Amino acid sequence: KQILNSGFDYDDPNRVNVKRRQITHFRIEHDFKEGFPILQTKKVFWNGAINELKAFLSGYTDVRELKQLKINFWDKDVANFHNCKVEEVGKQNKNYDMGKIYSYQMRNWQGQFDQIQNLVKTLRENPYATKKIVTMWNPLEVYNKEMCLSPCHWSWEALVDGDKNLTIKWNQASTDVFLGLPINIVYYSTLCHVLARLTGLKPKGIIGDLTNVHIYHNHFEAVFEQ
């Protein structure tokens, strides 16, 4: 409602003849005491969210590995990355490398550091340490276009309270509210449960600090129904 009522309209530079309505920022918070936060009034690509998380935590950068998990929504970006047709992606042992996407940054930062392994170790040994941050944003590699798509949700942080409850707080620089955000919510909520299980903490909830928060005009009819 806030986007529809007070957002501004402009042309999306990445889409021809498509406008979007946007506000600069918004924060969402959810406590798991209220249940698992998945929308029940529209279809949410549950398997896509869970399998993308699995792929990223596994360090996959080969689109064929994502395809085995039935994730196909990266194909267009990979095709653009390799300047090929979408139907050629991942075939004949070529056009399969996705570059230094989320998974690479989390598990192999600059080719030498596993951020996830380090975070799990810290949560187990020193859960009240500050700055328990994982970042997917490497400015030079983004500038050099070393990945098929630069990260929209670009960092996240593990927060632990005095009762050893775990909250995941993420930052997102471009937020498609109708299509993307419901999947992001499932992704980070599941991540919180996974990390809690690995570290003996209790999953408490999520916080999303969102910027450039938008709805595409061609989604308006569905948004009004929502």
Side-chain angles (χ1 to χ4, degrees):
K1 286 181 180 178
Q2 185 172 330
I3 296 168
L4 291 173
N5 293 334
S6 60
F8 62 94
D9 296 324
Y10 71 105
D11 291 312
D12 182 351
N14 298 314
R15 302 194 186 191
V16 178
N17 298 323
V18 177
K19 286 184 176 291
R20 63 190 194 185
R21 186 167 298 174
Q22 181 167 298
I23 58 176
T24 57
H25 62 280
F26 197 84
R27 170 177 277 201
I28 59 170
E29 298 188 38
H30 181 80
D31 192 313
F32 294 147
K33 289 180 181 178
E34 303 297 325
F36 190 92
I38 185 169
L39 287 177
Q40 295 178 308
T41 51
K42 71 179 288 290
K43 186 174 182 179
V44 175
F45 191 19
W46 168 268
N47 287 338
I50 302 304
N51 285 335
E52 188 176 59
L53 175 63
K54 178 180 179 180
F56 290 171
L57 291 178
S58 299
Y60 293 167
T61 59
D62 185 327
V63 72
R64 295 171 297 184
E65 295 172 308
L66 272 70
K67 284 179 172 295
Q68 289 179 355
L69 295 172
K70 301 189 184 319
I71 299 174
N72 298 307
F73 47 80
W74 281 81
D75 287 9
K76 185 176 180 181
D77 297 306
V78 177
N80 292 335
F81 189 51
H82 290 285
N83 194 27
C84 69
K85 297 178 181 179
V86 171
E87 55 268 24
E88 295 175 345
V89 167
K91 295 182 178 179
Q92 299 178 353
N93 267 350
K94 63 179 181 179
N95 303 332
Y96 56 82
D97 178 34
M98 304 174 74
K100 298 176 180 179
I101 61 168
Y102 298 87
S103 43
Y104 178 91
Q105 305 298 343
M106 287 196 288
R107 302 308 308 262
N108 194 28
W109 175 267
Q110 295 191 337
Q112 58 186 339
F113 183 63
D114 189 329
Q115 295 189 78
I116 301 300
Q117 186 179 64
N118 180 68
L119 176 68
V120 170
K121 183 175 185 293
T122 301
L123 287 171
R124 286 173 174 169
E125 298 177 358
N126 187 14
Y128 299 129
T130 56
K131 304 175 185 176
K132 299 183 293 293
I133 297 170
V134 172
T135 181
M136 288 81 74
W137 189 265
N138 186 312
L140 183 59
E141 291 172 352
V142 170
Y143 177 78
N144 288 332
K145 298 181 179 179
E146 296 182 42
M147 65 282 293
C148 66
L149 182 68
S150 60
C152 294
H153 44 112
W154 55 274
S155 74
W156 51 274
E157 185 173 1
L159 308 174
V160 180
D161 67 18
D163 296 320
K164 294 196 174 177
N165 296 309
L166 176 66
T167 297
I168 295 297
K169 175 182 175 292
W170 85 93
N171 296 294
Q172 188 156 341
S174 180
T175 310
D176 177 348
V177 170
F178 183 68
L179 282 183
L181 182 58
I183 295 175
N184 300 136
I185 290 170
V186 171
Y187 175 104
Y188 280 104
S189 297
T190 305
L191 175 62
C192 185
H193 282 275
V194 169
L195 286 175
R197 179 70 65 88
L198 286 172
T199 58
L201 301 170
K202 294 173 284 187
K204 184 178 189 298
I206 55 168
I207 301 170
D209 275 333
L210 316 174
T211 53
N212 301 306
V213 188
H214 56 267
I215 299 169
Y216 287 98
H217 281 215
N218 55 2
H219 295 158
F220 273 9
E221 184 177 350
V223 168
F224 291 148
E225 181 181 355
Q226 195 71 44

